[in-house]
Amino acid sequence: MSGDITHVPAIELRDVCKRFGRTEIIRGVNLSIPRGERHAIIGPNGAGKTTLFNLISGRFPISSGSITVDGRSTADLAPQEINRLGLSRSFQITSIFPRMTVFENIRCGLLWSQGYRYSFWHLLGRQKALNEAADQLLERLKLSDRRNLQAGLLSYAEQRALEIGITIAGGAEIILLDEPTAGMSHSETDSAVALIRRVSEGKTLIMVEHDMSVVFGLADRITVLVYGEVIASDQPAAIRGNAAVQEAYLGTVAA
Amino acid sequence: MNMLRRHWPWILAFVILLAIPFLFYDWSKGRHSGFVLTLMSEIGVMAIFALSYNMLMGQAGLLSFGHAVLLGMGAYCAAHVVLLVKAGTIWLPTELVPLAGGLGGLFFGFVFGWLVTKQRATAFAMITMGLGELVSAAALMFMGFFGGEGGIPVDRVMNTSLVGVSYSSPWQVYCLVLVWAFVAAVLMKLQTQTPLGSMANATRDNFERAQFVGYDPRMVRLYQFALSGFFAGIGGGLYVMIYEIVTFDTVSAAKSANALLAVYIGGAGGFFGPILGTIVVVLLQSGVSLLSNAWLLYVGILFIVMVMYAPGGLIGLLFMHMPIWRAGRMRELLLPYARAFPPALIVLLGFVFLVELTSFTTIGAAQGKKFSIGGNVIDTTAPMPWVIALAMLVLGALWLRREARGFRERWDDVMDGIKRQGAMS
Ligand SMILES: Nc1ncnc2c1ncn2[C@@H]1O[C@H](COP(=O)(O)OP(=O)(O)OP(=O)(O)O)[C@@H](O)[C@H]1O
Ligand SMILES: [Mg+2]
């Protein structure tokens, strides 16, 4: 353990492997993401990007290797415990609370981080700071006029926005977004990107994204994952010029 | 003043419930109707029980088949506390006996909850059912605590009242039930608006997502279960005050089923659904059971009909009318309702007639009872009554179907109109 605390990477993966049965989906991934970096993970369909998120966020246990969040091994931690370390993730397949209102969805994302835990003695209606924070976020998500609607009744794009909202509500220091703009129109994508840029200011952001303009516009560094292996991890300009990446991924997109 | 303005429905409900027994007051003898008071006290207890059940089912999406365990354990605890007070070992105001039941329910809620909340969905349902059987069996085995088949009889007149009431009359007990029912209902309503209550909804909707906002769904379920036990236990404490005995039926599967029936019939979606359901179930149980051997069958049919045609329960049916009411267009539904009423009544009567004929030829005959309507004895072996009953059922059903179609058209028209209006404004 050398160096002062600021040099501990936000996330570090060492020789991480994941097998489902006999098929190996993640094959020895090494990745170190320093604090404050905006990092994009790209790769073809089925490369294992979502699986990687599932491993980092504790949804699945890893088969071998190690993952640390802020220098702490997450091997024996449940998803909620990893979340409490300050890591929050979104889902590629929208995962919200469909029978609760949009406002309540956002508030659920705030509760733990604001220290309410399992309280049954605070009346939510009276928690001014909490409700204001939730309303402010709704405003930024442009969902204010949907505030009291059941979340399950939102349009697809609105549900995607809510998905991001629940993820960032708690103010986590490390944010993992899995294809946040998938299925959004151009203007929706633009405002989502602006929002992501703003909330990830000074934080660590890792996002999986297929939209290359979003990736190259936002990321400080890009990791390319193909068949469960990292084939490149570098600055955007270098990735653009990387022949292997061109062949494996960018080429197919350009074609 | 502000309080009065905001909470007038609660206050009004309280006053009405306090007044209802006086409708049955026997002024010549200067006495309340014991039957009505016991019936209403039973409704009070079962309403608390059903609301506490809905803390699991409606709020947390947990289907329990053993909820009576919490009611019963609360009742046993309260009974033992009453015995201790009577023996002079401890002192407790009579008014707080239900609280003792509540604390017992809370304790066992934690203990049992620890076992059952590791699971959710079907596994949870199965484990709660097993737990219910286990406690029922234990109630007959451990004489000391449960008193075996005889149960634990107590004398509710403890002379420790804070307000100088003896609780020797059903009216006094009813007042105690009413106050506690309101306290419990208000607390349960408030609990839905707390972080725990909200996260219970969240784990119901999507337990996995709840983990990724920092909550352990298992702990949410556990605390919710324990609190639900607290309120069920209050019901148990009141049960002791009403009946002055606790037996193993308080923990039985049949009692658990009662909560489930009340919640399904009333509706799990709205807070007040279980109360409506309780009123219906208890009236069928205590009222109709005096008139008919087949009351349980009616409860069952009602349950099936509700689950099939109105999964939102009675409260769901009421809520469906809310937009129409708000748009001030209820009047347009009056005629279709009035037209559907006669055939619906005929179907209902035909059905009841048929069931009663059957029940009188089987159970009734064995009990030596005669089937009579308005003093006329009906020969259940003759074909005529059967033909009439069947004809009412079939013809009524055909007629009802026609009216139902007209009703639906009218309904859709009104709803469309409201939607179009909403879109324009
Ligand atoms: N729980 C699981 N059990 C078995 N196989 C799985 C599981 N989850 C993912 N896989 C497999 O792992 C591979 C990688 O899936 P993953 O979802 O991580 O890809 P991805 O890179 O996110 O792709 P996409 O761009 O389509 O989202 C796929 O072949 C998938 O079928
Ligand atoms: Mg994916």
Side-chain angles (χ1 to χ4, degrees):
Chain A
M1 300 288 114
S2 66
D4 68 311
I5 184 90
T6 53
H7 290 113
V8 176
I11 290 189
E12 186 155 41
L13 282 74
R14 255 186 250 128
D15 296 323
V16 170
C17 293
K18 178 65 186 177
R19 283 178 293 274
F20 290 111
R22 292 177 57 198
T23 42
E24 193 165 41
I25 301 296
I26 299 294
R27 306 195 280 181
V29 167
N30 284 289
L31 191 61
S32 176
I33 297 171
R35 291 201 185 156
E37 181 171 280
R38 291 196 181 103
H39 196 107
I41 296 176
I42 62 174
N45 291 111
K49 305 178 294 294
T50 298
T51 304
L52 207 57
F53 269 22
N54 286 338
L55 297 178
I56 296 171
S57 64
R59 190 176 182 206
F60 298 152
I62 51 180
S63 302
S64 65
S66 75
I67 298 178
T68 58
V69 172
D70 281 337
R72 192 193 187 301
S73 165
T74 59
D76 50 354
L77 296 185
Q80 64 271 16
E81 291 169 319
I82 296 174
N83 175 270
R84 293 173 203 161
L85 293 177
L87 182 149
S88 185
R89 69 163 293 183
S90 75
F91 290 78
Q92 182 178 0
I93 298 166
T94 306
S95 180
I96 56 176
F97 306 112
R99 283 169 61 193
M100 302 175 81
T101 68
V102 173
F103 175 76
E104 287 168 337
N105 268 264
I106 295 293
R107 201 169 54 187
C108 284
L110 276 158
L111 283 175
W112 188 277
S113 64
Q114 299 235 347
Y116 287 99
R117 302 173 63 93
Y118 301 100
S119 158
F120 51 88
W121 51 89
H122 289 95
L123 279 179
L124 288 170
R126 300 227 178 117
Q127 311 306 313
K128 251 184 127 183
L130 174 74
N131 294 320
E132 272 166 18
D135 272 322
Q136 263 169 25
L137 183 52
L138 279 183
E139 192 71 47
R140 285 198 278 171
L141 294 166
K142 301 197 169 66
L143 287 174
S144 290
D145 57 334
R146 294 282 186 271
R147 188 181 189 277
N148 299 319
L149 196 69
Q150 265 195 15
L153 301 176
L154 292 177
S155 74
Y156 177 78
E158 287 169 334
Q159 291 195 1
R160 290 307 295 166
L162 182 60
E163 172 78 45
I164 299 175
I166 297 171
T167 307
I168 62 178
E173 282 300 315
I174 305 170
I175 299 168
L176 275 59
L177 300 178
D178 198 347
E179 306 202 14
T181 67
M184 287 187 180
S185 71
H186 272 300
S187 66
E188 285 161 349
T189 300
D190 287 345
S191 68
V193 169
L195 177 70
I196 292 168
R197 190 189 297 280
R198 189 137 65 99
V199 297
S200 61
E201 200 66 61
K203 297 185 173 168
T204 312
L205 172 75
I206 309 173
M207 62 184 230
V208 171
E209 184 56 69
H210 280 301
D211 185 331
M212 286 306 132
S213 63
V214 173
V215 169
F216 284 95
L218 209 54
D220 302 322
R221 211 150 61 94
I222 298 172
T223 291
V224 185
L225 192 72
V226 177
Y227 289 119
E229 280 174 300
V230 173
I231 62 164
S233 185
D234 215 330
Q235 261 142 38
I239 291 291
R240 222 191 279 270
N242 186 315
V245 175
Q246 290 275 345
E247 191 185 330
Y249 188 61
L250 291 180
T252 59
V253 171
Chain B
M1 224 30 235
N2 194 13
M3 183 159 151
L4 202 69
R5 203 169 313 135
R6 275 186 49 202
H7 303 296
W8 66 267
W10 291 86
I11 296 166
L12 184 70
F14 189 86
V15 171
I16 289 176
L17 287 170
L18 209 55
I20 287 178
F22 287 97
L23 296 177
F24 302 91
Y25 195 81
D26 187 340
W27 296 98
S28 61
K29 292 203 189 98
R31 237 190 6 220
H32 275 289
S33 155
F35 174 74
V36 168
L37 284 174
T38 308
L39 185 69
M40 292 191 64
S41 300
E42 167 87 9
I43 289 177
V45 168
M46 292 309 286
I48 299 176
F49 184 45
L51 284 172
S52 76
Y53 185 73
N54 207 33
M55 286 179 72
L56 299 180
M57 172 133 144
Q59 250 183 296
L62 294 169
L63 178 63
S64 167
F65 286 120
H67 196 55
V69 162
L70 297 171
L71 174 92
M73 294 311 282
Y76 278 108
C77 288
H80 283 289
V81 166
V82 172
L83 291 180
L84 287 175
V85 173
K86 295 282 285 188
T89 319
I90 56 170
W91 186 84
L92 185 81
T94 324
E95 285 78 13
L96 294 187
V97 167
L99 186 64
L103 293 177
L106 181 66
F107 174 76
F108 285 101
F110 258 112
V111 174
F112 295 146
W114 190 257
L115 292 172
V116 301
T117 58
K118 285 194 179 134
Q119 304 291 337
R120 38 169 227 108
T122 312
F124 175 87
M126 294 303 116
I127 298 172
T128 52
M129 182 181 258
L131 182 73
E133 293 304 310
L134 189 107
V135 174
S136 296
L140 293 175
M141 279 158 58
F142 298 100
M143 289 294 289
F145 186 75
F146 294 102
E149 291 213 34
I152 308 269
V154 298
D155 176 3
R156 70 185 170 212
V157 182
M158 296 158 69
N159 298 318
T160 56
S161 171
L162 287 177
V163 289
V165 175
S166 68
Y167 296 102
S168 51
S169 78
W171 165 248
Q172 292 165 337
V173 173
Y174 174 66
C175 291
L176 184 72
V177 170
L178 197 57
V179 169
W180 271 103
F182 267 75
V183 169
V186 167
L187 289 178
M188 281 187 263
K189 181 98 188 6
L190 291 176
Q191 196 272 340
T192 62
Q193 299 157 23
T194 62
L196 180 65
S198 191
M199 287 316 295
N201 286 335
T203 52
R204 169 200 69 195
D205 278 12
N206 187 346
F207 75 98
E208 187 162 50
R209 188 53 152 140
Q211 295 187 286
F212 294 95
V213 295
Y215 280 86
D216 183 350
R218 194 270 157 105
M219 296 313 276
V220 173
R221 289 195 288 266
L222 174 61
Y223 292 135
Q224 190 76 11
F225 193 91
L227 281 183
S228 161
F230 174 69
F231 291 108
I234 289 179
L238 289 169
Y239 183 98
V240 172
M241 291 301 287
I242 300 171
Y243 298 107
E244 301 189 280
I245 188 165
V246 196
T247 60
F248 70 98
D249 352 295
T250 51
V251 298
S252 68
K255 255 290 178 287
S256 296
N258 257 336
L260 190 145
L261 288 170
V263 170
Y264 255 103
I265 290 172
F271 180 79
F272 296 99
I275 300 179
L276 274 182
T278 301
I279 294 172
V280 171
V281 170
V282 174
L283 285 182
L284 281 171
Q285 220 159 46
S286 307
V288 177
S289 68
L290 294 180
L291 305 170
S292 165
N293 274 323
W295 69 273
L296 201 52
L297 186 133
Y298 294 122
V299 176
I301 296 279
L302 183 62
F303 178 69
I304 292 171
V305 167
M306 293 307 284
V307 171
M308 279 174 65
Y309 297 106
L314 296 172
I315 198 95
L317 292 177
L318 283 179
F319 279 165
M320 272 167 60
H321 292 79
M322 281 296 274
I324 301 175
W325 175 270
R326 247 186 260 123
R329 296 179 66 169
M330 277 304 273
R331 225 170 334 135
E332 294 172 50
L333 287 180
L334 276 184
L335 184 67
Y337 262 123
R339 287 183 55 152
F341 182 71
L345 189 67
I346 290 174
V347 171
L348 186 70
L349 288 177
F351 177 72
V352 170
F353 198 16
L354 205 58
V355 169
E356 292 305 320
L357 281 172
T358 315
S359 115
F360 271 92
T361 40
T362 54
I363 321 171
Q367 292 174 344
K369 283 192 197 157
K370 286 248 153 33
F371 186 17
S372 65
I373 299 174
N376 304 314
V377 176
I378 289 170
D379 180 7
T380 55
T381 54
M384 205 52 196
W386 293 85
V387 171
I388 294 174
L390 259 178
M392 282 169 76
L393 191 61
V394 172
L395 296 177
L398 289 174
W399 183 9
L400 182 62
R401 220 173 65 171
R402 249 191 56 184
E403 293 301 338
R405 212 173 296 135
F407 181 85
R408 178 167 295 267
E409 272 165 29
R410 198 61 258 198
W411 175 277
D412 289 345
D413 270 1
V414 174
M415 285 307 261
D416 276 352
I418 291 171
K419 262 189 216 129
R420 240 175 290 125
Q421 245 173 11
M424 272 193 297
S425 62

